[in-house]
Amino acid sequence: MATAKKVKRKGPSPLISIIILALLISGVYSIWNPSGQTLSESVNLSTFVNDVESGQVESVEVRDSRIDYVLNDETKKYTHKETGQTVSEVLDKVDPEVVSKLQVEVVDTTGKEIWLNILFATVPFLLIIGFFIFMMRGAASSSNQAMSFGKSNAKLYDGEKEKTTFKDVAGAREAKDELVEIVDFLKKPTKYTAMGAKIPRGVMLVGAPGTGKTLLARAVAGEANAPFFSISGSEFVEMFVGVGASRVRDLFKKAKRNAPCIVFIDEIDAVGRQRGAGLGGGHDEREQTLNQILTEMDGFETNESVIVMAATNRPDVLDPALLRPGRFDRRVVVDTPNKEDREAILKVHSRNKPLKKNVDLNSIAAQTPGFTGADIENLLNEAAILAAKQDQKEITQKDIEDSVEKVQLGPERKSHILSEEEKNITAYHESGHAIVGHLLEDCDPIRKITIISRGMSLGSTWFVPEQDKHMYSKQKFEHEIASLLGGYVSEEMNFGQVTTGPSNDLERASNIARRMVTEFGMSSKLGPIVFGEKNHEVFLGRDYGHMKNYSEERASEIDEEVQKIIENAYVLAKDLLTKHKKQLDHIAKTLIKKETLSREEFIELFEGKKPESKKS
């Protein structure tokens, strides 16, 4: 496995070195320079003569034209004489006997003056030269950045630090089977070339967000023990035209030098969208980048073991030229895990977490239909946080189940206290959902009913399917719509009016009914026809991306059919709640007292039994 090179540390900038040198010179000069003696008192020459004449001067020091002297009381003074004039000439009028007693010292400063003159003559030039060097280095750095602007930022995967293998990827068995062949080809290329097989040019990983596409790519890198270059599709695109194409060329040049290797482009839809949809035409930066990717993938030789892997959750927007044979030959679908796979993923993500021995991961897997690998990882992380917050040593089953509710429905809003009237309405609303859903055979089983606020809802009725479903019947949709309208009907029956509470239920019910008519051909009047074409290249927005391919008369008929489905579901829900009005009142009143009912408690109440009090 190739390893990343160590980055060398750079030394200090030359300009900083010059500034430090100048400061040192200034310090030395301040020490040598006698003018730095700030404790001396400046006097005129006549005062010096008078002090000598009065016998107050103890010692004299002469430096060029400066005379420093010390009095008997250790007071320091200084004065200046004419250049070339001696101390004897200055004191010619003073008694010679007094002058002879003076301690006069003449300091020779000729050598020091030469060096100081040289230093102070050169320091300004050194500073100017340093400034120009600094400016030139900055310009060179900018030039280097401009030159490296078109270089690829791909990261070389180092498997020695944290190696990911297929054992670390639970579920996705079919996807792993496809990728095992790629790994085997990189390890034993002669095994396949002997049979006349060619290396796949590209592998496209397709799946919903969080299903583990990037994790699978890392596992391929870990298993293949080959150089693995990773880059995001968005890193190719810049505001300057041609930079993305230049980076693509540089990336594939590096890949060819390190062959056999793998190049992984995450979120390729950032540059791989269908061409000709924007306003830039052929000069669009994204299109030029895509063109370069297509050209580079076509330019591979058969003996160059370079495989391009890419991941996207929007295969519908990709350019067809990317997906043709010779480029991305294989499309590996990474689907949402089923119950068995979810249990395996739970085991993987719980390996480093202290679970209590009685934790049933199979039960948790059954409660999490539609969860991806990322959702399950987040679920166990939330359970660990909840257990730690309660100062527990182990994660219990209840912790995980509470985390499932938190992830699906949102956190409890304990501070959001409902008034008595709102509590009554919410209890009847949720009881209406539960009773209609329980009585209709195609609705999923009830797991819990609560009037405790979670997320944006004041209460919730939680239905959990017994098994994963991939196909839905017309009756399933009709019963689900009736269950959604159960809350609306219950409010209307018991309070004579409806509130804003069912707004989300009505939106979901209307959406299901419209899709039944326009997408699934479930209208007996309009027949098996799909109305409307989806233009997947969303440029101006989703509404503009939907093309209308039917007349206004048909649009009116579609509205009538949608209304008919909703009305039939409304009548069905009202009939059921009218027949079971006694159970509705009983369940709603109990829900007001207890705030939360489990499936077992709901069934006992519905059948007229008194639910047993269970310890939490």
Side-chain angles (χ1 to χ4, degrees):
M1 178 66 68
T3 55
K5 295 181 180 179
K6 293 183 178 179
V7 180
K8 294 182 179 179
R9 294 183 179 178
K10 295 181 180 179
S13 169
L15 181 62
I16 296 175
S17 302
I18 292 170
I19 292 172
I20 293 172
L21 181 62
L23 291 173
L24 288 173
I25 293 170
S26 300
V28 171
Y29 175 71
S30 66
I31 295 172
W32 285 6
N33 188 11
S35 63
Q37 299 177 8
T38 56
L39 297 177
S40 299
E41 179 185 352
S42 176
V43 297
N44 54 36
L45 192 60
S46 60
T47 303
F48 168 65
V49 174
N50 293 333
D51 288 342
V52 173
E53 191 173 9
S54 61
Q56 298 180 26
V57 177
E58 182 179 343
S59 62
V60 178
E61 186 178 86
V62 182
R63 295 175 182 269
D64 297 331
S65 62
R66 177 181 171 119
I67 300 174
D68 291 273
Y69 64 98
V70 182
L71 301 180
N72 293 330
D73 60 357
E74 297 185 354
T75 302
K76 295 180 179 180
K77 296 182 179 181
Y78 71 92
T79 186
H80 291 278
K81 62 182 181 63
E82 294 181 7
T83 304
Q85 189 181 22
T86 64
V87 177
S88 301
E89 294 175 349
V90 173
L91 302 174
D92 59 343
K93 295 181 180 181
V94 180
D95 186 359
E97 188 175 342
V98 176
V99 174
S100 62
K101 293 179 181 180
L102 283 177
Q103 297 178 9
V104 180
E105 181 183 358
V106 179
V107 179
D108 185 11
T109 59
T110 307
K112 294 178 181 179
E113 284 185 354
I114 294 172
W115 281 108
L116 287 173
N117 290 334
I118 292 173
L119 285 173
F120 281 94
T122 56
V123 164
F125 288 103
L126 289 175
L127 290 174
I128 293 170
I129 293 170
F131 175 75
F132 278 108
I133 291 174
F134 176 76
M135 295 297 293
M136 290 172 66
R137 282 174 61 89
S141 175
S142 301
S143 176
N144 289 336
Q145 289 180 3
M147 294 298 291
S148 64
F149 206 56
K151 298 293 183 182
S152 167
N153 298 323
K155 301 173 184 66
L156 184 60
Y157 174 78
D158 186 2
E160 294 180 0
K161 294 181 180 177
E162 186 179 353
K163 189 174 183 179
T164 305
T165 62
F166 285 137
K167 292 181 181 178
D168 301 314
V169 184
R173 286 165 291 179
E174 293 83 2
K176 284 194 287 187
D177 290 341
E178 287 283 333
L179 296 174
V180 163
E181 296 179 11
I182 305 297
V183 174
D184 196 35
F185 193 100
L186 287 170
K187 287 182 175 179
K188 305 170 186 176
T190 54
K191 173 182 173 182
Y192 293 90
T193 54
M195 299 297 295
K198 294 181 180 180
I199 184 173
R201 301 288 179 88
V203 180
M204 181 72 71
L205 299 174
V206 178
T211 49
K213 300 183 292 296
T214 306
L215 183 63
L216 278 169
R218 290 183 61 193
V220 170
E223 293 281 352
N225 197 27
F228 184 87
F229 293 94
S230 174
I231 191 169
S232 171
S234 60
E235 292 185 51
F236 289 115
V237 182
E238 294 283 353
M239 64 180 291
F240 303 108
V241 176
V243 172
S246 176
R247 289 181 178 177
V248 171
R249 287 192 294 270
D250 185 66
L251 171 63
F252 281 92
K253 193 180 295 181
K254 289 179 183 177
K256 291 176 184 179
R257 284 200 301 264
N258 290 274
C261 72
I262 301 172
V263 174
F264 177 61
I265 305 174
D266 201 5
E267 302 296 346
I268 195 173
D269 50 278
V271 292
R273 286 175 175 262
Q274 188 170 354
R275 290 168 290 182
L279 298 176
H283 295 288
D284 182 42
E285 166 66 359
R286 182 181 54 78
E287 291 192 7
Q288 288 200 19
T289 305
L290 173 59
N291 291 338
Q292 190 63 45
I293 293 175
L294 300 177
T295 304
E296 291 291 342
M297 291 190 71
D298 260 350
F300 284 157
E301 299 293 337
T302 55
N303 60 350
E304 289 181 331
S305 301
V306 180
I307 298 175
V308 182
M309 294 183 66
T312 182
N313 52 25
R314 294 292 310 277
D316 51 308
V317 304
L318 295 179
D319 194 275
L322 265 179
L323 304 177
R324 73 159 175 81
R327 282 170 182 154
F328 284 98
D329 302 279
R330 296 192 179 189
R331 180 184 293 193
V332 178
V333 178
V334 187
D335 208 349
T336 305
N338 55 28
K339 180 183 174 183
E340 184 181 344
D341 291 339
R342 289 197 298 274
E343 184 177 358
I345 296 171
L346 282 165
K347 290 178 181 177
V348 169
H349 289 299
S350 62
R351 284 185 303 199
N352 62 342
K353 292 179 175 63
L355 296 185
K356 208 164 185 177
K357 291 183 179 179
N358 63 349
V359 171
D360 185 6
L361 294 181
N362 184 273
S363 170
I364 301 299
Q367 296 175 32
T368 53
F371 272 47
T372 63
D375 294 329
I376 293 171
E377 182 182 11
N378 181 49
L379 164 67
L380 289 175
N381 185 59
E382 290 287 347
I385 292 172
L386 181 61
K389 190 165 63 174
Q390 297 173 352
D391 297 324
Q392 298 173 191
K393 300 297 182 183
E394 294 178 316
I395 301 171
T396 63
Q397 181 86 7
K398 187 176 184 304
D399 293 331
I400 302 177
E401 289 179 350
D402 289 345
S403 299
V404 172
E405 295 181 22
K406 182 179 180 181
V407 171
Q408 284 193 334
L409 306 176
E412 285 189 10
R413 299 169 62 194
K414 295 181 180 179
S415 62
H416 193 198
I417 301 172
L418 301 178
S419 64
E420 288 300 321
E421 183 184 2
E422 289 177 332
K423 207 171 184 180
N424 264 338
I425 295 172
T426 305
Y428 271 95
H429 179 100
E430 300 302 334
S431 300
H433 281 311
I435 290 174
V436 175
H438 178 67
L439 292 171
L440 295 175
E441 57 182 358
D442 282 325
C443 287
D444 297 324
I446 295 169
R447 172 171 173 76
K448 181 183 278 190
I449 314 167
T450 180
I451 57 173
I452 297 174
S453 300
R454 280 186 175 272
M456 298 298 293
S457 63
L458 300 179
S460 56
T461 304
W462 192 9
F463 296 91
V464 177
E466 293 179 334
Q467 58 185 3
D468 297 330
K469 294 182 180 180
H470 305 285
M471 299 177 67
Y472 298 89
S473 65
K474 179 181 179 181
Q475 183 171 294
K476 163 73 174 173
F477 283 135
E478 289 173 343
H479 287 184
E480 188 173 341
I481 294 172
S483 175
L484 287 169
L485 294 177
Y488 178 93
V489 173
S490 179
E491 287 187 23
E492 189 180 49
M493 284 175 56
N494 292 279
F495 302 100
Q497 60 181 353
V498 293
T499 64
T500 57
S503 61
N504 182 253
D505 300 329
L506 299 178
E507 182 181 353
R508 289 165 59 193
S510 302
N511 185 43
I512 293 171
R514 188 163 294 277
R515 294 188 69 188
M516 287 174 65
V517 176
T518 60
E519 292 184 34
F520 306 136
M522 293 180 177
S523 168
S524 56
K525 180 179 180 180
L526 299 177
I529 302 174
V530 174
F531 296 96
E533 293 180 356
K534 288 184 178 179
N535 179 10
H536 297 297
E537 182 62 39
V538 181
F539 178 65
L540 295 176
R542 292 189 179 275
D543 293 336
Y544 291 96
H546 186 83
M547 296 178 63
K548 186 177 178 181
N549 62 353
Y550 47 89
S551 64
E552 293 299 328
E553 289 78 9
R554 280 293 186 190
S556 177
E557 292 176 355
I558 290 171
D559 292 340
E560 290 174 3
E561 286 296 293
V562 171
Q563 186 175 359
K564 182 180 176 182
I565 292 172
I566 297 292
E567 287 176 352
N568 290 341
Y570 172 85
V571 171
L572 176 60
K574 191 166 187 177
D575 289 345
L576 292 173
L577 291 177
T578 302
K579 290 177 183 178
H580 299 86
K581 181 70 167 60
K582 184 178 178 181
Q583 287 95 327
L584 176 64
D585 294 334
H586 186 35
I587 292 170
K589 289 174 182 177
T590 307
L591 190 58
I592 292 170
K593 294 178 182 177
K594 299 189 69 174
E595 291 190 337
T596 300
L597 295 175
S598 65
R599 170 177 171 78
E600 293 76 14
E601 291 172 330
F602 168 77
I603 292 175
E604 288 173 354
L605 288 168
F606 185 80
E607 293 175 353
K609 300 176 184 178
K610 187 176 180 180
E612 298 179 2
S613 58
K614 297 180 181 179
K615 295 182 180 180
S616 57

